[in-house]
Amino acid sequence: LVNGSCKKKLSRKDSLSGKSRIDFTFSKGSHFFIYPIRFQYLVQKEAEKSQKLVLFSVSKRYFKKAVDRNLIKRRMREAYRLNQELIQISDQKLQLAFIYSAKEVIDFHFIQEKLILGLKRLSNTLSQNHDNESQKD
């Protein structure tokens, strides 16, 4: 605890991994784009506990050096870690992939700003879908 507030943490168990799981997210999920990040997501209902799994990806085509790819992934991860509370889910499993699509390295504040916009849009989408589901019952 830092200054009485809960420390925001992004652990290994929160990462989206496994080829079949990732492929399923991309084949069955939805997506939208806010430059420079493509947001790919899949919501699974009836989960035993609410869980958010995330994946960060940077193209090897545009960034040949692993140093550059890792820098961008670190920036996206940190922006997500600081703002992950923007997405509230209950009894759902959310699989989320962030795909960086710019062809140049962009500074952290711009990435964070766009990631926040994307998380807010995703949160609105999830709450609308949840409202529609509850109206059907």
Side-chain angles (χ1 to χ4, degrees):
L1 292 173
V2 180
N3 297 335
S5 65
C6 182
K7 186 177 179 188
K8 301 171 186 170
K9 199 171 180 188
L10 194 60
S11 67
R12 187 81 183 132
K13 67 177 174 35
D14 296 330
S15 72
L16 177 58
S17 59
K19 184 170 174 19
S20 60
R21 215 183 233 173
I22 293 169
D23 288 345
F24 189 68
T25 303
F26 280 90
S27 63
K28 301 285 187 221
S30 305
H31 72 276
F32 60 90
F33 181 77
I34 296 177
Y35 181 84
I37 302 169
R38 177 177 177 209
F39 296 80
Q40 181 80 34
Y41 63 95
L42 176 67
V43 180
Q44 294 177 312
K45 311 275 192 270
E46 291 92 35
E48 58 278 352
K49 59 179 181 149
S50 54
Q51 184 181 26
K52 290 185 273 193
L53 299 175
V54 292
L55 167 80
F56 300 92
S57 176
V58 179
S59 173
K60 203 176 205 178
R61 172 189 281 174
Y62 300 128
F63 299 97
K64 302 287 185 206
K65 296 180 180 173
V67 181
D68 295 331
R69 292 194 302 275
N70 292 337
L71 171 69
I72 295 165
K73 283 192 264 188
R74 270 197 313 274
R75 288 178 178 176
M76 287 196 300
R77 242 189 324 266
E78 181 66 6
Y80 174 76
R81 185 186 71 82
L82 292 172
N83 300 290
Q84 63 185 335
E85 74 279 351
L86 292 174
I87 300 176
Q88 298 297 326
I89 55 172
S90 58
D91 299 329
Q92 294 175 332
K93 185 185 212 178
L94 175 64
Q95 295 176 205
L96 183 57
F98 301 100
I99 300 99
Y100 185 84
S101 62
K103 295 178 181 166
E104 67 280 339
V105 177
I106 296 176
D107 74 312
F108 172 74
H109 296 292
F110 186 79
I111 290 174
Q112 183 176 16
E113 182 183 313
K114 298 303 178 176
L115 197 117
I116 289 170
L117 283 174
L119 291 176
K120 286 180 179 175
R121 182 169 165 184
L122 179 61
S123 184
N124 290 339
T125 305
L126 293 176
S127 63
Q128 286 173 356
N129 289 349
H130 186 72
D131 292 344
N132 291 343
E133 291 289 323
S134 60
Q135 288 175 358
K136 288 179 184 176
D137 294 342

